[in-house]
Every structure is written in structure tokens, then in C-alpha cells.
């Protein structure tokens, strides 16, 4: 069963990352307030990014990976700037230690 990883931009400017096996249906659920708690309080939402996978479990794993990312790293992905991802993966605490 195919799967999709998706990122929504909420009305308050926050991002919501999810996964589903039916992207069109899931987007309709979010827009109607029947999606996640995060999105139903921040309507309307807009799809800003998605990836398609051959299996839903792969999309779910990718969802969990991206949920741990910083806002800047998510925005680099959304804007199609993969070359920035390694730099944005560096933890702030690691930068401070290297300055010492």
C-alpha cells in the first residue's frame, strides 16, 4: 500500500507533519477540522510539501524523522534546498563547543 509523508502550513504559521495512505482524503479531513488536534485549532491549512513511498510504513518513518527537525530545516526541505540539510542538522550545542 502506498504511503505519503506530508507537511502542512497552518494558519498560525506553524507546520504539521503527517503520513497517510490517501493524501487527498487526509487533506480534506484536516480542512474540515477532523484531522489532528494541532490542525483543527489552526485552520485553514495548506499542503506545502509531500513525498510518495511504496509502503505506508516508510512514509511513517520519514514522518517521525522530520518531526524532530528544526523549523529552518523543514523550510529548507519545503523550498527544495537539500544542500542545506546537513548544515541545519548540526545541534546548537555542538556549535558552541567548537567555538571554545
Amino acid at each position: 500500500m502506498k504511503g505519503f509523508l506530508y507537511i502542512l502550513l497552518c494558519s498560525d504559521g506553524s507546520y504539521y507533519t503527517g503520513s497517510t495512505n490517501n493524501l487527498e482524503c487526509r487533506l480534506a479531513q484536516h480542512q474540515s477540522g477532523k484531522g489532528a488536534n494541532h490542525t483543527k485549532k489552526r485552520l485553514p491549512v495548506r499542503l506545502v510539501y509531500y513525498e510518495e513511498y511504496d509502503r505506508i510504513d516508510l512514509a511513517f518513518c520519514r514522518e517521525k524523522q522530520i518531526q524532530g527537525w528544526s523549523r529552518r530545516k523543514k523550510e529548507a526541505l519545503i523550498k527544495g534546498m537539500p544542500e542545506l540539510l546537513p548544515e541545519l542538522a548540526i545541534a546548537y550545542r555542538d556549535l558552541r563547543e567548537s567555538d571554545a
Side-chain angles (χ1 to χ4, degrees):
M1 176 178 286
K2 286 203 182 263
F4 297 89
L5 162 280
Y6 62 93
I7 301 176
L8 303 176
L9 177 61
C10 299
S11 64
D12 69 350
S14 64
Y15 291 114
Y16 176 82
T17 305
S19 59
T20 185
N21 60 3
N22 186 330
L23 186 57
E24 193 172 308
C25 179
R26 189 65 177 143
L27 291 175
Q29 289 174 334
H30 282 294
Q31 288 292 19
S32 68
K34 297 177 184 168
N37 280 331
H38 183 87
T39 58
K40 73 176 155 184
K41 296 175 186 174
R42 295 165 173 88
L43 293 174
V45 296
R46 181 170 54 96
L47 179 68
V48 292
Y49 183 82
Y50 75 93
E51 296 173 358
E52 186 173 348
Y53 292 88
D54 291 332
R55 299 185 345 227
I56 185 64
D57 62 319
L58 298 175
F60 180 76
C61 287
R62 181 71 163 155
E63 171 192 350
K64 294 306 169 192
Q65 177 188 36
I66 292 174
Q67 283 178 340
W69 288 6
S70 68
R71 180 178 182 84
R72 288 181 61 210
K73 190 170 179 179
K74 289 176 188 175
E75 289 175 342
L77 180 69
I78 292 164
K79 292 175 183 175
M81 303 170 77
E83 68 278 4
L84 297 179
L85 297 180
E87 175 186 329
L88 294 170
I90 298 170
Y92 177 73
R93 69 175 188 281
D94 295 337
L95 290 175
R96 291 184 59 206
E97 290 172 6
S98 66
D99 291 340

